[in-house]
Amino acid sequence: MPKSLNESMNSTQMAPDTGPRSTDAATEAKTSYPEKVQEPLQDQKPNFKPGITYAAQDKLPKLPIPELGSTLKKYCEALLPLQTSREQEDTKAAAEEFLENEGRELQERLERYATGKTSYIEQFWYDSYLHYDNPVVLNLNPFFLLEDDPTPARNNQVTRAASLVISALCFVRAVRKEELPPDTLKGTPLDMYQYSRMFGTARVPTDNGCIIGQDSSAKHIVVLCKGQFYWFDVLDDNNDLIMTEKDVVQNLQVIVEDAEQIPIQEAAKAAVGVLSTENRKVWSGLRDVLTRDEGSNNAECLNIVDSSLFMLCLDYTEPTNVSDLCGNMLCGTNEVVKGVQVGTCTNRWYDKLQIIVCKNGSAGINFEHTGVDGHTVLRFASDVYTDTILRFARTINGQAPTLWASNSPDPSKRDPDSFGDVSTTPRKLEWDMIPELSIALRFAETRLADLIHQNEFQTLDFAGYGKNFMTSMGFSPDAFVQMAFQAAYYGLYGRVENTYEPAMTKIYLHGRTEAIRSVTPEAVEFVKTFWADNSAQKKVDALKKATQKHTAITKECGKAQGHDRHLYALYCVWQRAVDEEGREREESTGFSSNGYISGSESDMGGSPRRALDGEARHVSPPARNGNNTRLDRSTSRNNNHSSSNHHARKGGPSQMPALFMDPGWEKINTTILSTSNCGNPSLRHFGFGPVSGDGFGIGYIIKDDSVSICASSKHRQTRRFVDSLESYLLEIRKLLRVTKRESSHAKQTRAREVDARYELGGRTKSFGRLVRSDETDKKVVGSQMPLGDGVDDELESDDGLSGYGFFDAGMLLQVRRANQEKERKPHQVAEQKRRAVGKKLALSEY
């Protein structure tokens, strides 16, 4: 568990071995707790046993390192449908050479490296995110759009925001008291480490990449309204809530009224949050400007923002359609009035977890992605949404259940002295807007406006059918939708493109994701069959083969047996060897003979190849999800790297393996369709920006009877692509119904089996005419669109191992700067007692 704001996420100490490591051992550790603790909703007053949240951690198996030969075979198979026969031959030759030569040594190095680590990929993963130089907005941070509060009267801004804050604080309390039951997959506990990194954390830029700072004892939140910053305490030292929902409503109402007193054009000139959208090195320099003057409020203001539990952003706008609403949650709105930016894009702080609430009560979450996956934030979002409903239910019926193992004492009945040293009255942070800072705000805002204008978002709320229909037809829902993306794209462009989907690997200690490559020979055959003049049965048969292949790959990736993370780790180990050799050469000669100055030991993820035409083209490794275009926009001083490797001694670490120089390596890491399946009924939409200049970012949620899709691109006919998806989904339903009628092997639901027995004489007599569907000659009776037919459990549950758990924008490779310091200097923050900062606001009755 993190202890202070100075602690960096890059620390990956090996967990102590306290017993056997296996999924069975983890399950046993979880089931040793009473059932009331495992399922708090089963009892209104559970007899909780603290410590369940991380109880299974020491029993979880470590992330396995795949066998090298298997990885290379899967790598070549993933490239097969994307390459010509000649390109495939070259890639196979490079893979065989790698297997016989450098690969063996790198595999041994990786195994030795992993011996003392919690996970063989974790350090490299963090580094790739933290060394990303470009703005995190639209590039790294994803968003969730929550469903509206089911009680219409509560869908106004202040009421909805206060309700979400209280529920979020209950979640924080459950995590800190270790009362949050662990996530499970088919009864097996999942890794819960990420929950310790959600609150009180901030992405802090430095001259040498970013770090993740955390204050594990944080007890205040920061509210942003019209770009102005306010804060107040919400927890005591025991992590109990010190405010009721009514208290929070009163605070938020006072904040809104105070912010409205300043004309929005004037407020925008002090919207410091826009600086968090800058290039990371620029933002690092601006933080130095904020903190350099002694006696300035800025350093203390910055510390209060960084160490807050989370940000609450109160927007004054009401987006008119769902696409605009999604854009508001991802990057904010852009509106310039009389030369001044008054959009909500300046009402954000992208280095932290943000809860965003619009004027009409529409709410969402935007989160910093380095330390937490979508699966983790989804649990937070769904529990918060559920708790808001249950708390309202308890106002109707006091016997309604609670989501939490224990609850805070009623703040309204506590002695105020028991709260400790807290400040519950909101205070406004007053930044010292020196000229240099004001100019920086202007430039940051105009650059952000450009970035927003470069992207567009379109949504599809497909209500024709959902998970129930897909499983009733015998398909994995996730694989079914993945093939929809392939078919829609092929129908528009007549070709397939590299597609990425993340698979969750949290069944392992500190597990994150593995990459699913959706384009397979079976998928290619399907789209060609679908768009050709073939019978309905042939098209459906091709779809079944393609989805079965996708499901098989998903299961392998869920067991950490994909090829992407393994190859990326091998590349990082090779880079480490290059760095070490460079340091040795510098020590012996006084300078780097190849012009490449190595970074720190944790700086492992350089660019796998450079273009030989003099331009530094940065190509992502597999785990980066192919973020080529983004990396192209970053600057590198390592232009000599590729050419200097040409002259490196044969067999030495500086000789880049042919596998990483092969065009196939670039091909597999240039993602055109970046997709992720993450959501449940608490969300309306989920999405992220495109990861390449000519690609689409597609977030989707498969619900029981609908599919929600949010697509983004840099103006690549996004609306037309979404329309093509809708047309395909309708067409494939028609084909499935045709083939279903022609089949005599339709499955029955359990309820229909009961009717069949009674029709055979199980009852003495039944009155009335039996009402059947049009298919009177079939065994399936009832609705025209079945809601389930007893299909195999794996068809419904495999989403847990697919992209359901995580959005990965492909940020696993940031091209390293050549002239870096040899060792990373930890970010130093002076520890000092927090003083009351800002103007104290007068509370009014509300």
Side-chain angles (χ1 to χ4, degrees):
M1 293 286 293
K3 298 300 182 184
S4 70
L5 187 62
N6 296 331
E7 179 174 348
S8 169
M9 183 173 289
N10 294 330
S11 175
T12 54
Q13 299 298 323
M14 185 177 181
D17 286 324
T18 58
R21 287 181 173 275
S22 67
T23 54
D24 291 339
T27 303
E28 183 179 351
K30 180 228 177 191
T31 56
S32 67
Y33 285 77
E35 184 177 352
K36 294 178 180 179
V37 182
Q38 301 177 42
E39 300 291 343
L41 278 177
Q42 296 298 320
D43 197 305
Q44 297 177 31
K45 298 180 180 179
N47 182 20
F48 69 92
K49 179 180 177 182
I52 189 174
T53 303
Y54 305 106
Q57 290 296 103
D58 293 339
K59 305 295 182 182
L60 290 173
K62 290 183 65 176
L63 191 72
I65 300 177
E67 192 271 327
L68 182 59
S70 175
T71 290
L72 293 172
K73 180 181 178 181
K74 293 172 183 176
Y75 171 68
C76 292
E77 290 175 349
L79 280 168
L80 181 61
L82 301 172
Q83 292 181 314
T84 64
S85 57
R86 177 61 181 274
E87 290 172 336
Q88 181 67 197
E89 291 176 3
D90 292 342
T91 296
K92 287 182 178 179
E96 291 173 359
E97 179 183 342
F98 186 77
L99 180 62
E100 296 298 325
N101 298 295
E102 308 99 330
R104 291 183 177 181
E105 179 183 353
L106 292 177
Q107 179 82 350
E108 293 174 358
R109 283 175 177 258
L110 179 61
E111 291 172 350
R112 289 196 300 269
Y113 166 83
T115 301
K117 304 293 181 182
T118 304
S119 163
Y120 78 88
I121 193 68
E122 187 171 28
Q123 185 67 55
F124 306 140
W125 182 285
Y126 289 145
D127 287 342
S128 65
Y129 275 85
L130 294 174
H131 283 79
Y132 183 74
D133 282 343
N134 283 342
V136 295
V137 59
L138 281 166
N139 290 320
L140 287 184
N141 289 28
F143 79 90
F144 288 153
L145 176 61
L146 296 173
E147 287 284 2
D148 289 340
D149 193 298
T151 309
R154 297 173 60 82
N155 276 314
N156 68 75
Q157 185 176 47
V158 171
T159 303
R160 182 82 193 277
S163 179
L164 292 173
V165 166
I166 292 297
S167 295
L169 295 176
C170 290
F171 189 94
V172 173
R173 181 181 183 275
V175 170
R176 289 185 170 179
K177 289 184 175 294
E178 299 186 17
E179 296 174 1
L180 188 72
D183 297 324
T184 59
L185 180 64
K186 296 181 180 180
T188 301
L190 302 180
D191 180 84
M192 296 291 286
Y193 175 70
Q194 294 178 31
Y195 291 95
S196 70
R197 294 291 187 179
M198 283 190 69
F199 307 107
T201 62
R203 181 187 180 108
V204 180
T206 71
D207 289 338
N208 188 27
C210 296
I211 65 168
I212 297 296
Q214 180 168 23
D215 182 353
S216 58
S217 61
K219 54 185 180 182
H220 67 282
I221 66 171
V222 170
V223 181
L224 271 167
C225 188
K226 291 190 175 181
Q228 310 302 294
F229 291 75
Y230 305 83
W231 71 273
F232 54 90
D233 287 320
V234 287
L235 298 176
D236 62 16
D237 292 335
N238 196 39
N239 293 312
D240 287 326
L241 279 67
I242 60 175
M243 306 188 78
T244 64
E245 184 173 335
K246 182 179 180 180
D247 294 330
V248 176
V249 165
Q250 185 180 9
N251 274 10
L252 298 183
Q253 186 64 39
V254 168
I255 287 172
V256 171
E257 292 172 356
D258 183 81
E260 288 178 347
Q261 293 177 9
I262 306 175
I264 192 168
Q265 287 82 4
E266 292 299 317
K269 296 177 182 179
V272 179
V274 74
L275 298 179
S276 68
T277 69
E278 265 290 10
N279 172 282
R280 304 312 292 179
K281 286 193 178 295
V282 173
W283 180 206
S284 174
L286 292 173
R287 285 179 67 99
D288 291 340
V289 172
L290 283 167
T291 58
R292 72 186 178 191
D293 294 334
E294 294 185 7
S296 171
N297 286 328
N298 292 342
E300 189 68 24
C301 291
L302 198 57
N303 184 58
I304 285 180
V305 173
D306 286 339
S307 62
S308 63
L309 287 164
F310 52 83
M311 309 292 292
L312 174 64
C313 304
L314 302 178
D315 290 347
Y316 75 95
T317 60
E318 299 181 13
T320 56
N321 58 65
V322 179
S323 295
D324 290 342
L325 192 55
C326 288
N328 185 64
M329 298 303 168
L330 184 61
C331 58
T333 61
N334 171 61
E335 183 181 0
V336 177
V337 177
K338 296 181 180 179
V340 178
Q341 178 64 255
V342 297
T344 61
C345 61
T346 62
N347 197 49
R348 301 286 186 272
W349 191 272
Y350 286 98
D351 290 340
K352 293 182 66 67
L353 174 69
Q354 304 176 95
I355 298 176
I356 303 168
V357 185
C358 299
K359 193 69 174 179
N360 60 358
S362 297
I365 295 173
N366 185 295
F367 59 97
E368 204 288 315
H369 197 7
T370 303
V372 292
D373 298 335
H375 181 270
T376 302
V377 184
L378 177 61
R379 168 76 182 276
F380 168 69
S382 59
D383 280 8
V384 165
Y385 186 80
T386 302
D387 184 60
T388 59
I389 297 173
L390 292 178
R391 280 191 298 106
F392 179 70
R394 287 195 296 276
T395 65
I396 302 172
N397 181 352
Q399 301 301 311
T402 177
L403 190 64
W404 316 113
S406 69
N407 292 291
S408 296
D410 188 346
S412 64
K413 298 178 181 179
R414 290 178 58 182
D415 182 351
D417 292 338
S418 66
F419 293 160
D421 182 18
V422 297
S423 176
T424 58
T425 301
R427 295 176 181 271
K428 182 178 181 180
L429 296 181
E430 296 179 325
W431 305 85
D432 295 328
M433 298 302 298
I434 59 178
E436 189 174 355
L437 191 58
S438 297
I439 293 173
L441 283 180
R442 175 70 172 183
F443 292 157
E445 179 273 313
T446 54
R447 185 215 52 77
L448 174 60
D450 279 347
L451 192 60
I452 293 174
H453 276 284
Q454 291 167 14
N455 294 269
E456 65 174 353
F457 313 94
Q458 296 292 339
T459 59
L460 171 62
D461 290 298
F462 181 76
Y465 56 89
K467 179 178 180 179
N468 289 334
F469 175 74
M470 298 172 196
T471 55
S472 74
M473 293 295 173
F475 292 97
S476 154
D478 184 70
F480 186 94
V481 175
Q482 281 289 323
M483 292 308 109
F485 298 147
Q486 298 302 317
Y489 193 92
Y490 190 88
L492 281 177
Y493 299 103
R495 63 179 184 273
V496 295
E497 298 280 13
N498 189 28
T499 306
Y500 175 97
E501 179 190 7
M504 181 180 65
T505 57
K506 287 174 69 175
I507 60 174
Y508 300 103
L509 184 66
H510 288 206
R512 297 291 297 252
T513 62
E514 179 57 84
I516 306 170
R517 297 298 174 179
S518 303
V519 178
T520 62
E522 291 82 358
V524 174
E525 180 63 25
F526 160 63
V527 296
K528 290 181 177 179
T529 301
F530 178 83
W531 288 104
D533 186 14
N534 294 302
S535 66
Q537 188 62 55
K538 188 173 182 179
K539 293 180 180 180
V540 171
D541 289 344
L543 176 60
K544 287 182 178 179
K545 291 181 180 178
T547 54
Q548 288 168 358
K549 179 64 174 179
H550 185 86
T551 300
I553 295 176
T554 297
K555 290 181 178 179
E556 284 190 340
C557 292
K559 297 176 181 178
Q561 294 301 311
H563 63 81
D564 284 74
R565 303 303 186 252
H566 185 201
L567 285 179
Y568 175 60
L570 292 174
Y571 171 79
C572 290
V573 170
W574 169 81
Q575 181 68 65
R576 184 184 190 185
V578 172
D579 291 346
E580 291 175 348
E581 183 182 83
R583 281 193 292 268
E584 293 174 358
R585 184 177 295 114
E586 289 178 28
E587 291 174 358
S588 61
T589 64
F591 61 91
S592 174
S593 62
N594 65 359
Y596 178 84
I597 300 177
S598 64
S600 65
E601 182 177 66
S602 64
D603 184 14
M604 303 300 166
S607 174
R609 72 183 289 240
R610 310 284 179 190
L612 300 181
D613 58 3
E615 179 186 0
R617 294 182 56 208
H618 311 304
V619 183
S620 322
R624 292 237 358 147
N625 191 15
N627 191 17
N628 247 41
T629 301
R630 293 181 188 169
L631 293 177
D632 285 343
R633 293 198 296 267
S634 63
T635 309
S636 174
R637 305 185 190 118
N638 297 347
N639 295 347
N640 302 348
H641 195 168
S642 179
S643 58
S644 62
N645 282 338
H646 178 74
H647 300 289
R649 60 184 177 84
K650 180 71 175 178
S654 295
Q655 181 67 38
M656 180 176 284
L659 184 72
F660 303 136
M661 295 293 291
D662 180 73
W665 181 255
E666 179 176 356
K667 173 82 72 172
I668 201 68
N669 296 305
T670 304
T671 299
I672 302 302
L673 297 181
S674 179
T675 69
S676 185
N677 171 14
C678 184
N680 64 26
S682 69
L683 302 186
R684 291 176 66 185
H685 278 286
F686 146 68
F688 46 92
V691 302
S692 63
D694 55 349
F696 291 93
I698 307 172
Y700 59 106
I701 305 171
I702 307 174
K703 302 176 183 178
D704 285 347
D705 298 303
S706 63
V707 182
S708 298
I709 298 172
C710 179
S712 64
S713 78
K714 295 186 182 298
H715 299 285
R716 248 204 89 179
Q717 296 192 88
T718 316
R719 180 74 261 166
R720 191 176 182 186
F721 177 69
V722 167
D723 290 342
S724 297
L725 272 173
E726 183 176 27
S727 297
Y728 165 83
L729 291 171
L730 293 172
E731 178 66 19
I732 199 66
R733 179 178 64 178
K734 184 189 304 181
L735 297 179
L736 289 170
R737 284 175 169 173
V738 169
T739 56
K740 190 79 169 181
R741 287 196 296 268
E742 294 173 353
S743 171
S744 60
H745 303 291
K747 292 185 178 180
Q748 298 185 85
T749 65
R750 294 294 184 182
R752 303 312 174 202
E753 290 179 7
V754 173
D755 275 349
R757 293 194 192 102
Y758 287 148
E759 286 181 30
L760 294 176
R763 286 181 177 177
T764 56
K765 193 170 185 181
S766 295
F767 290 96
R769 178 174 62 86
L770 186 64
V771 180
R772 295 182 181 271
S773 67
D774 292 338
E775 303 173 47
T776 54
D777 58 331
K778 303 302 180 208
K779 295 180 180 179
V780 177
V781 296
S783 64
Q784 184 180 13
M785 190 183 303
L787 296 181
D789 62 354
V791 73
D792 240 345
D793 286 343
E794 65 183 40
L795 293 178
E796 297 190 6
S797 63
D798 69 338
D799 292 334
L801 285 177
S802 72
Y804 165 88
F806 174 64
F807 156 66
D808 175 29
M811 297 298 100
L812 271 187
L813 172 68
Q814 170 58 17
V815 178
R816 275 30 176 182
R817 308 289 187 175
N819 298 318
Q820 290 179 322
E821 297 176 5
K822 292 184 179 180
E823 295 181 359
R824 170 183 292 182
K825 296 180 179 179
H827 182 65
Q828 300 294 329
V829 178
E831 296 184 0
Q832 54 182 329
K833 183 177 180 180
R834 186 182 65 183
R835 59 188 175 86
V837 177
K839 180 182 68 176
K840 186 173 182 179
L841 303 182
L843 294 178
S844 60
E845 292 299 326
Y846 177 73

